[in-house]
Amino acid sequence: MRALVWHGKKDIRCDTVPDPGIEESRDAIVKVTTCAICGSDLHLFDGFMMGMKAGDIIGHEFMGEVVEVGAENRKLKVGDRVVVPFTIACGDCDQCKAGNFSVCERSNRNRDLQDKAFGHHTAGLFGYTHLTGGYAGGQAEYVRVPFADVGPVKIPDGLTDEQVLFLGDILPTGWQAAMQCDIQPTDTVAIWGAGPVGQMAIRSAVLLGAKQVVAIDCLPERLSMARAGGAVTIDFEEESVIDRLNDLTQGKGPDKCIDAVGMEAHISHHHPDSIYDRAKQAMFLETDRPHVLREMIYVCRPAGILSIPGVYGGLVDKIPFGALMNKGLTIRTGQTHVNRWTDDLLRRIQNGEIDPTFVITHTVRLEDGPAMYRTFRDKQDGCVKCVIKPQQLH
């Protein structure tokens, strides 16, 4: 089969690789009909995540048709159409039973390796480093899905791939980011980053009843999309984020803040700490660029909540922990517990409350994937979200 394969920093290729097969009795093999490039895939492309090996198949946002099932899989049958969550959950451990699927205690087959890096391991993830299990990803024609009697979401007739694909990652990620904020009708919710996850967080915060949602970015196409979703926008290249947020909240600061950027915060010439982060990163003294974290801690209203769906991989520096503690801020973060939210979100899609297709700007073939990584990373051609059709040959 064909798949997008990681060969090193900034080196993604469309290769011919062996077809996947059933390895465990609860497995399924899915023929991928649609997949997508996620912002966190760029951390692999840019070489910021440890644990990658040349030859790894990447991608964790995908869906398709079941073509084979293991002997003990009673949930799926050949022909079922499914969206596969990026987090791999066993369904049986204490964390899965509590709904904490992204920290499943059994699905990370390299748990000893991650224990050393993080203290305790998290769940296995598709196509996302050997620290999270080294599983082959979904930017491919076919993919093996372990514990396939737990994770995959069966899709009813009448919905297109594009309507439901994002149930596997960015839609529940944006939704969880907003849910972690415990949004009240009087709240101003500020969201840093108006990329795909930020866009879903904007619409989630609106659906959950926030009084005011503010989106912070610098790209015109993203800011326009955010305004269409009901947000007030701030272009951080044109004005002070802190001053504008204080103006919008009568000097109190936003009640809830969401970091939908993560470890690769944009380097702005207006912020000396951004230049500092870039220098430390170049000298391998820091892995992640935490400008957004610093800004959220500074501007958030005392007793507010910081929600962090943006991915961080290692070490950050100069975090104003004194401000965090003395202001009584609460931090809520983590990879998304996808299956905790999918039933509700699927119903909302069916009912027309949200149509996730708005975020798609590009659709390409699998062989065009390597070039699209650069287009997406460099924000060229108005690219906000790219989907890939692995079965499309021409």
Side-chain angles (χ1 to χ4, degrees):
M1 69 171 185
R2 298 171 306 150
L4 297 189
V5 177
W6 189 89
H7 287 274
K9 183 177 179 179
K10 300 179 182 177
D11 187 2
I12 306 292
R13 307 175 198 171
C14 185
D15 290 346
T16 299
V17 299
D19 291 345
I22 296 290
E23 298 178 20
E24 302 289 345
S25 58
R26 296 168 64 184
D27 286 356
I29 304 299
V30 172
K31 180 174 74 173
V32 180
T33 54
T34 308
C35 57
I37 301 174
C38 184
S40 51
D41 288 327
L42 296 180
H43 305 328
L44 310 181
F45 181 75
D46 287 331
F48 290 135
M49 294 295 288
M50 57 184 172
M52 293 297 292
K53 296 181 181 179
D56 287 345
I57 299 171
I58 56 178
H60 57 269
E61 198 167 27
F62 61 95
M63 66 173 294
E65 177 186 341
V66 175
V67 294
E68 189 176 355
V69 295
E72 294 183 26
N73 190 325
R74 302 287 183 261
K75 175 181 177 179
L76 300 179
K77 65 181 185 301
V78 172
D80 282 344
R81 190 160 157 253
V82 295
V83 172
V84 181
F86 76 96
T87 48
I88 302 170
C90 74
D92 300 321
C93 70
D94 290 344
Q95 295 284 15
C96 284
K97 289 177 180 177
N100 300 326
F101 300 106
S102 75
V103 287
C104 171
E105 295 170 325
R106 295 180 56 197
S107 63
N108 188 343
R109 57 190 179 185
N110 291 337
R111 57 182 65 94
D112 291 343
L113 185 63
Q114 199 181 40
D115 282 344
K116 294 176 182 177
F118 287 177
H120 296 283
H121 62 270
T122 61
L125 305 178
F126 287 100
Y128 211 75
T129 92
H130 290 263
L131 285 178
T132 56
Y135 290 98
Q139 290 171 7
E141 292 182 293
Y142 296 88
V143 64
R144 171 192 168 235
V145 179
F147 300 109
D149 54 350
V150 176
V153 180
K154 290 197 279 189
I155 301 303
D157 293 337
L159 295 171
T160 66
D161 277 17
E162 286 75 10
Q163 285 178 286
V164 295
L165 170 64
F166 303 133
L167 282 170
D169 185 354
I170 62 170
L171 178 54
T173 296
W175 184 259
Q176 178 172 301
M179 289 292 288
Q180 288 178 159
C181 287
D182 187 23
I183 291 172
Q184 303 301 308
T186 56
D187 281 349
T188 291
V189 180
I191 299 170
W192 278 255
V197 169
Q199 297 291 343
M200 298 303 171
I202 289 164
R203 283 146 181 84
S204 298
V206 170
L207 279 172
L208 290 170
K211 178 182 178 181
Q212 180 175 229
V213 178
V214 184
I216 301 150
D217 207 293
C218 68
L219 298 173
E221 58 273 15
R222 291 184 172 194
L223 293 170
S224 175
M225 193 177 282
R227 286 190 292 271
V232 177
T233 58
I234 299 174
D235 182 340
F236 65 78
E237 292 284 21
E238 299 296 328
E239 57 186 331
S240 164
V241 173
I242 292 171
D243 290 347
R244 182 80 169 114
L245 284 173
N246 283 328
D247 287 344
L248 290 167
T249 58
Q250 294 73 54
K252 295 180 179 180
D255 305 272
K256 313 293 167 60
C257 298
I258 295 174
D259 173 2
V261 177
M263 65 191 297
E264 289 190 78
H266 182 84
I267 299 300
S268 171
H269 299 300
H270 299 312
H271 301 289
D273 71 322
S274 295
I275 300 169
Y276 166 88
D277 284 333
R278 176 68 84 183
K280 289 210 70 171
Q281 197 175 52
M283 293 185 289
F284 302 101
L285 298 175
E286 182 179 43
T287 58
D288 305 4
R289 303 195 294 263
H291 168 73
V292 167
L293 291 181
R294 299 186 191 110
E295 196 161 71
M296 290 201 314
I297 291 169
Y298 186 82
V299 77
C300 188
R301 185 177 186 177
I305 294 174
L306 311 181
S307 177
I308 308 173
V311 173
Y312 287 83
L315 303 175
V316 295
D317 197 4
K318 298 292 186 291
I319 297 300
F321 207 86
L324 177 76
M325 180 270 168
N326 283 287
K327 292 171 71 175
L329 303 181
T330 297
I331 295 179
R332 294 175 178 164
T333 188
Q335 295 282 6
T336 309
H337 307 303
V338 176
N339 289 96
R340 185 189 292 181
W341 316 111
T342 47
D343 288 349
D344 181 29
L345 291 173
L346 180 57
R347 283 193 297 269
R348 290 176 185 269
I349 293 171
Q350 290 177 294
N351 294 338
E353 292 180 54
I354 185 168
D355 179 3
T357 62
F358 76 88
V359 80
I360 300 170
T361 54
H362 292 67
T363 301
V364 300
R365 303 169 300 168
L366 193 64
E367 53 264 44
D368 300 320
M372 281 308 304
Y373 263 84
R374 292 187 178 275
T375 299
F376 183 40
R377 194 275 309 273
D378 296 336
K379 312 297 183 290
Q380 297 172 340
D381 194 31
C383 185
V384 177
K385 186 68 173 180
C386 172
V387 298
I388 298 172
K389 298 288 188 178
Q391 307 301 325
Q392 184 176 314
L393 299 178
H394 303 289

